[in-house]
Amino acid sequence: MSQSLSQPTLPELLPLSEADKLLAHCISTDLFQLPFFLSPELADLLRNVYNGEASESVSPQVKAVVLATLANGALNTCNTYLVESLFHRAKKEAAICDDEGSPTMTHLSLLLATYQNNIGRPHSSYLYTGAASRKLFAMGLHSYGPEGNDRPDLIQKRRIIAWSVYYHETKDFHDPCANEPDGLIPLLP
């Protein structure tokens, strides 16, 4: 007899009470470098993803952002299965819109870069940061946009995205040789 290899649902994998703890951890450790959402907004997004009826109306991009946020928050646990499951679910959720240039997908790329860096994969982190940078330029978020577009909230959002990508692009964690003058890691005797 063949058994179906069905993946557990998100509430089966991670109860909402545990998800709240992971979200709180991610907010306390990573929100300063990923300031796209305020803490209450992230909590609302988490509730929407966990709410069965509302979950149908949540876009795949937002679901992926929530899953990647939880994956970053789960990095302080010993449950590597949970950590990797959340990361892969985020990537799977975003697969249909991965090449989309939007603020949400730029945010997701930075969340995935942060995850990869924190788990010790600097090269993957570098690639995700590069993807975020390309999306930023593709959307024209590095400039103020067309004349007359002076809504302060939109200008502020563009600045937050641009400076967040810049922050990630210029951090030393991508290259272990960045602080060495000749670009080589000194060998131990």
Side-chain angles (χ1 to χ4, degrees):
M1 289 187 187
S2 76
Q3 290 182 332
S4 163
L5 295 175
S6 64
Q7 197 174 26
T9 64
L10 184 58
E12 291 171 347
L13 178 69
L14 181 67
L16 181 58
S17 60
E18 291 298 312
D20 281 330
K21 291 177 188 174
L22 299 182
L23 180 64
H25 179 72
C26 185
I27 287 170
S28 68
T29 57
D30 294 326
L31 193 63
F32 76 94
Q33 59 183 333
L34 302 162
F36 296 101
F37 296 105
L38 299 174
S39 301
E41 291 174 312
L42 281 172
D44 288 344
L45 291 175
L46 178 67
R47 297 279 181 280
N48 288 341
V49 168
Y50 268 81
N51 181 351
E53 293 172 12
S55 183
E56 295 298 321
S57 64
V58 176
S59 71
Q61 299 95 323
V62 170
K63 286 180 185 176
V65 164
V66 169
L67 290 166
T69 301
L70 293 174
N72 277 292
L75 285 172
N76 75 325
T77 69
C78 298
N79 190 343
T80 55
Y81 173 76
L82 174 65
V83 172
E84 286 292 314
S85 292
L86 290 168
F87 173 75
H88 289 291
R89 282 175 185 243
K91 286 179 48 174
K92 183 179 176 184
E93 197 67 48
I96 61 171
C97 47
D98 189 37
D99 59 351
E100 178 182 304
S102 70
T104 305
M105 292 307 290
T106 303
H107 183 197
L108 178 63
S109 293
L110 291 180
L111 277 166
L112 297 177
T114 300
Y115 172 88
Q116 293 288 25
N117 182 60
N118 289 339
I119 204 160
R121 299 176 188 146
H123 297 292
S124 290
S125 177
Y126 179 73
L127 294 173
Y128 280 113
T129 301
S133 181
R134 296 305 153 283
K135 290 174 185 178
L136 169 91
F137 285 108
M139 291 181 291
L141 295 181
H142 59 291
S143 66
Y144 287 109
E147 291 293 322
N149 186 8
D150 37 288
R151 278 187 42 201
D153 60 328
L154 292 179
I155 291 173
Q156 184 64 17
K157 187 171 191 148
R158 293 170 82 99
R159 286 179 180 161
I160 289 171
I161 294 169
W163 282 107
S164 295
V165 171
Y166 177 78
Y167 169 78
H168 279 79
E169 259 315 327
T170 57
K171 282 178 30 177
D172 287 340
F173 65 68
H174 300 305
D175 183 4
C177 304
N179 293 325
E180 297 299 324
D182 56 2
L184 299 174
I185 297 175
L187 299 176
L188 297 176

